[in-house]
């Protein structure tokens, strides 16, 4: 079984450096929270958008061709349609 350092090193190849990914994700989330409809979102909708921002940051900072980023992002966009608030 891999130790946590091996796992983190492997994730950096696909997800990008954590510091850069975190910065871009937080910037995206701050922009979203400034939108006029943010306060009206359900917790499920808001969380889904937060998760999408994380995936976008991974695409921008890591391996943009990694299919999980795109598939997970699509999944998070559909969750509010399938899950009640």
């Amino acid at each position: 079984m891999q130790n946590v350092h091996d796992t983190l090193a492997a994730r950096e190849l696909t997800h990008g450096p954590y510091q850069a990914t975190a910065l871009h994700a937080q910037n995206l989330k701050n922009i979203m929270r400034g939108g006029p409809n943010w306060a009206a979102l359900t917790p499920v909708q808001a969380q889904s958008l937060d998760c999408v921002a994380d995936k976008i940051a991974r695409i921008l900072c890591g391996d943009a061709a990694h299919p999980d980023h795109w598939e997970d992002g699509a999944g998070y966009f559909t969750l509010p349609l399938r899950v009640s608030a």
Side-chain angles (χ1 to χ4, degrees), residues 68-84:
D68 285 357
H69 303 325
W70 300 97
E71 292 168 359
D72 290 350
Y76 285 120
F77 267 121
T78 63
L79 274 174
L81 304 173
R82 300 188 327 237
V83 177
S84 62

Side-chain angles (χ1 to χ4, degrees), residues 13-30:
L13 296 175
T14 55
H15 295 34
Y18 187 69
Q19 295 89 338
T21 303
L23 175 65
H24 289 289
Q26 290 302 305
N27 286 339
L28 288 168
K29 291 174 186 184
N30 287 335

